[in-house]
Amino acid sequence: MSGLRQRLSLSFLLVAITAVSFTAGLILWAGSRLFSGYLSSTQSLRHQRLIWTLERTYATFGDWPGMRDAFEGVGGYLGMMAGTSFLVRDEAGRVVFATGRYAETFPPEPLENGDWPESASAPGRGMTGPGWGRRFGQMSGGMGMMGPYGLRWGEQGPVPPEEEWRRPLRVAGGEATYPLEAGGRRIGTITFALPRTAGVLNTFEERFRRLVGLTALAAALLAAAVGWGSGLWLARRLTQPIIALRDATRRFAAGELGARVALPAGETPEVPDEIAELGRSFDLMAERLERLEQVRRQLTADVAHELRTPVAAARNLVEAFRDGVLPPDEENLSALNRELERLGRIVGDLRDLSVAESGKLQLARDRLDLREILDAAGEGWRSHFAEAGIAFGVDLPGEPVPVVGDAAALERVFSNLLANALKYTGRGGRVEVVLGREGNRALVRVADTGVGIPAEEQPLVFERFFRGEAARRAGAEGTGVGLAIVREIVQAHGGEVVLASRPGEGTAVTVRIPLTT
């Protein structure tokens, strides 16, 4: 059973790891897309801020030489505003200024007759100098900066209206180039290094990916631990009652007929309802088999007793005839015949039950009136009840009660019921037979005021070879097959037979058979 427990535990572990891995992968994929989108939108906003600032500053100065002189000292700030390296060219394609990696590759070029503006720094020195501080105001306590037209912006710059955003002229090779316009004309272009190529923003994205990956790994490990632990617990919970069932089955197979699983009724925290039902089914089967084994053993004793009595009586009579002790006259021969008939009835009952239970019972399919069958059965037993001092009555309706069946088999049913009523009803008692209708079925009720049947024996009375304690104490003859034969015949007619009894008050057997039209 440990194999089943291990397989269940591994299954829970696999499910947990698969679910967490799938979820982590989905989160990583979705988070990466969202983060990339966030970075892209943030970078686009930064680009538009710088473009907006350059265009309006150009409108103030009117030319690029003044612009370059003004921006010489704040290259680092502009790079921070852009969030990446950028390169500005005038309308003729000449480099005005550059930051980051572009500053090393594209040094500024002369703009007017090959000369540099007076305030500009020499080529190759980068963007340094006091121009920005003189022309656009001083830093204000680290809170922001005063720009053109008195606009105030923080480290990220002003926010341009979306309708004034510039569309890129081209995006290729890890770069995006936008037009610069002022006064309704193009004044140049600005080229930005995209983050993935420039290596500026992708660092944050990689950090984000690494953080999500580590979180997913930690969650997977935690889920694996929880899945393994809960799998072990649940596997133990599921397999313990199964192990109990296995052990009980082995003991039962080894001959211990009293072996039971004894699981609690209904679902409990320890035993799921389905397994509890399986255990109860096994216990019911084992109880039934144990009872049948007891019945079989008792049958052996009963049949031996029933056969021994007539056989012994017949043998004694034959020996008496042979030894001349008794004359073989009519009286003695009649006694011998009665013993042989008794023996024949026992053998016949056993044969009939075997035929009925095998489904080979041959029944006629005649249209019958149950009144006639009950009347004939009643007349045949009336004298026996009278001799025993038992009141006997048969209540039949005035109209016919038509059924389809075998008259001899049905008469045997009612004869067996009347024989049992006679056997277990004492002198002064009463036996009554009532025939009626119940919907589309005929109903026959045979009731007596006899000793009754204990509640624990009532489910067994229609089992073959069963004889109750009352029959044994009374020393009544029989093999316990009479009511079993009754049940088989009634069921063969499409009907049912039920019994109700109270000890000391009597027994009522009800037979229902479908009516015919």
Side-chain angles (χ1 to χ4, degrees), residues 185-308:
R185 67 183 185 86
R186 180 175 296 185
I187 59 174
T189 62
I190 182 169
T191 300
F192 296 98
L194 297 180
R196 293 184 183 277
T197 301
V200 178
L201 292 180
N202 60 340
T203 302
F204 297 100
E205 186 175 359
E206 290 302 322
R207 289 179 180 177
F208 174 78
R209 286 175 175 270
R210 189 179 301 112
L211 178 62
V212 173
L214 291 176
T215 304
L217 178 60
L221 293 176
L222 178 62
V226 173
W228 178 255
S230 60
L232 284 176
W233 174 80
L234 187 57
R236 182 182 298 274
R237 178 173 176 263
L238 290 174
T239 55
Q240 277 182 339
I242 297 177
I243 292 174
L245 178 60
R246 180 201 63 186
D247 294 342
T249 303
R250 288 178 176 176
R251 296 199 310 272
F252 191 86
E256 186 183 341
L257 300 183
R260 299 291 186 273
V261 182
L263 295 178
E267 186 170 4
T268 67
E270 294 78 20
V271 183
D273 186 57
E274 294 80 0
I275 297 181
E277 181 65 27
L278 177 62
R280 290 193 296 272
S281 298
F282 173 82
D283 287 348
L284 182 62
M285 177 196 69
E287 182 180 355
R288 185 177 180 84
L289 290 175
E290 183 181 19
R291 189 176 299 152
L292 289 176
E293 177 63 17
Q294 293 172 352
V295 169
R296 185 191 66 79
R297 292 176 180 176
Q298 191 61 53
L299 168 68
T300 303
D302 289 344
V303 170
H305 173 73
E306 292 295 328
L307 293 176
R308 181 171 61 249

Side-chain angles (χ1 to χ4, degrees), residues 93-412:
R94 292 172 296 188
V95 176
V96 178
F97 50 85
T99 65
R101 71 175 191 179
Y102 293 117
E104 299 176 1
T105 308
F106 301 99
E109 303 176 14
L111 298 179
E112 295 180 355
N113 301 321
D115 298 328
W116 293 94
E118 294 179 2
S119 60
S121 55
R125 291 178 58 188
M127 294 185 176
T128 58
W132 177 260
R134 293 196 308 271
R135 297 173 184 256
F136 287 100
Q138 302 298 321
M139 297 291 292
S140 178
M143 297 297 295
M145 192 171 283
M146 188 66 69
Y149 315 111
L151 294 174
R152 183 181 182 86
W153 62 81
E155 290 185 351
Q156 298 301 322
V159 180
E162 290 190 12
E163 59 270 14
E164 297 185 15
W165 282 27
R166 300 300 182 209
R167 295 183 177 276
L169 296 174
R170 67 177 181 276
V171 178
E175 297 179 335
T177 300
Y178 293 84
L180 295 174
E181 299 178 3
R185 67 183 185 86
R186 180 175 296 185
I187 59 174
T189 62
I190 182 169
T191 300
F192 296 98
L194 297 180
R196 293 184 183 277
T197 301
V200 178
L201 292 180
N202 60 340
T203 302
F204 297 100
E205 186 175 359
E206 290 302 322
R207 289 179 180 177
F208 174 78
R209 286 175 175 270
R210 189 179 301 112
L211 178 62
V212 173
L214 291 176
T215 304
L217 178 60
L221 293 176
L222 178 62
V226 173
W228 178 255
S230 60
L232 284 176
W233 174 80
L234 187 57
R236 182 182 298 274
R237 178 173 176 263
L238 290 174
T239 55
Q240 277 182 339
I242 297 177
I243 292 174
L245 178 60
R246 180 201 63 186
D247 294 342
T249 303
R250 288 178 176 176
R251 296 199 310 272
F252 191 86
E256 186 183 341
L257 300 183
R260 299 291 186 273
V261 182
L263 295 178
E267 186 170 4
T268 67
E270 294 78 20
V271 183
D273 186 57
E274 294 80 0
I275 297 181
E277 181 65 27
L278 177 62
R280 290 193 296 272
S281 298
F282 173 82
D283 287 348
L284 182 62
M285 177 196 69
E287 182 180 355
R288 185 177 180 84
L289 290 175
E290 183 181 19
R291 189 176 299 152
L292 289 176
E293 177 63 17
Q294 293 172 352
V295 169
R296 185 191 66 79
R297 292 176 180 176
Q298 191 61 53
L299 168 68
T300 303
D302 289 344
V303 170
H305 173 73
E306 292 295 328
L307 293 176
R308 181 171 61 249
T309 300
V311 169
R315 184 183 61 188
N316 291 336
L317 286 173
V318 171
E319 288 179 352
F321 294 156
R322 185 187 61 186
D323 297 339
V325 176
L326 292 176
D329 56 16
E330 182 177 352
E331 180 181 356
N332 291 328
L333 290 175
S334 296
L336 176 60
N337 185 64
R338 285 194 299 272
E339 296 300 332
L340 294 176
E341 287 180 349
R342 180 181 175 186
L343 181 60
R345 284 196 302 272
I346 295 173
V347 175
D349 286 345
L350 296 175
R351 180 188 61 82
D352 292 343
L353 178 62
S354 176
V355 171
E357 289 187 333
S358 66
K360 297 179 181 179
L361 189 63
Q362 300 294 325
L363 297 176
R365 304 293 296 173
D366 301 325
R367 181 182 177 87
L368 307 172
D369 186 351
L370 272 184
R371 295 182 307 169
E372 298 176 359
I373 295 174
L374 285 174
D375 184 60
E379 289 302 319
W381 284 91
R382 192 176 299 277
S383 59
H384 297 285
F385 285 110
E387 292 176 4
I390 300 173
F392 176 67
V394 179
D395 184 7
L396 303 177
E399 66 278 2
V401 182
V403 297
V404 173
D406 189 300
L410 291 176
E411 186 172 348
R412 183 172 185 181

Side-chain angles (χ1 to χ4, degrees), residues 433-446:
V433 180
V434 177
L435 172 62
R437 292 171 179 257
E438 185 182 66
N440 60 349
R441 296 186 297 181
L443 184 146
V444 180
R445 185 171 183 270
V446 179

Side-chain angles (χ1 to χ4, degrees), residues 53-76:
T53 299
L54 291 176
E55 290 179 345
R56 276 147 187 77
T57 305
Y58 183 93
T60 300
F61 287 92
D63 58 15
W64 284 115
M67 281 282 294
R68 183 162 66 179
D69 184 39
F71 279 95
E72 283 288 333
V74 291

